[in-house]
Amino acid sequence: MGTTPLNPGLAVQLAVHRAVRRDTARLSEALAQGRRTSPEAVRAYWAETAVQLHHHHEFEDGVVWPLMGERLGARVESLLARNGAEHVTMAAA
C-alpha cells in the first residue's frame, strides 16, 4: 500500500529519520577527521538535504502529525509539540 493521507507510510518516515542522522554523522565525522572535502561538495550535499528535509517536514506537519493527533489524542500531545518545535528550530537553522 502506498503513502496516502490515511496511511502516511510511517516506515518510510522512520527510514528518512535514520538516513538523515546517519548521513549527518558521517559528514561530521569526515570533517572532524580533517578529510579533504571541497566546500562546494558540502554545500551541494547540504542544499539537497535541506530541500528533502523541507518536504519531509511538510508531510509530517500536514499529514502525519494531524493524523496522529486525531487518532491518539492526548496520548501524543507532548510528542507532537516537541516535534513541531524541532521543525521550527531546524527550519531556522
Side-chain angles (χ1 to χ4, degrees):
M1 174 182 268
T3 299
T4 68
L6 295 179
N7 175 23
L10 294 179
V12 172
Q13 294 296 96
L14 294 174
V16 169
H17 283 230
R18 285 191 298 273
V20 169
R21 287 185 188 111
R22 179 202 63 217
D23 291 350
T24 302
R26 285 179 179 169
L27 178 61
S28 295
E29 182 180 330
L31 295 173
Q33 291 176 357
R35 292 189 200 155
R36 291 184 164 234
T37 305
S38 75
E40 294 80 18
V42 173
R43 270 193 225 88
Y45 164 79
W46 189 251
E48 181 60 29
T49 298
V51 167
Q52 296 304 319
L53 280 173
H54 175 74
H55 293 302
H56 175 79
H57 289 169
E58 280 186 330
F59 184 70
E60 285 181 334
D61 293 340
V63 176
V64 176
W65 304 154
L67 187 58
M68 286 179 71
E70 177 185 308
R71 291 183 180 176
L72 302 173
R75 292 180 288 174
V76 294
E77 283 178 4
S78 64
L79 171 68
L80 299 182
R82 187 189 79 208
N83 286 335
E86 286 176 359
H87 287 187
V88 170
T89 300
M90 291 177 77

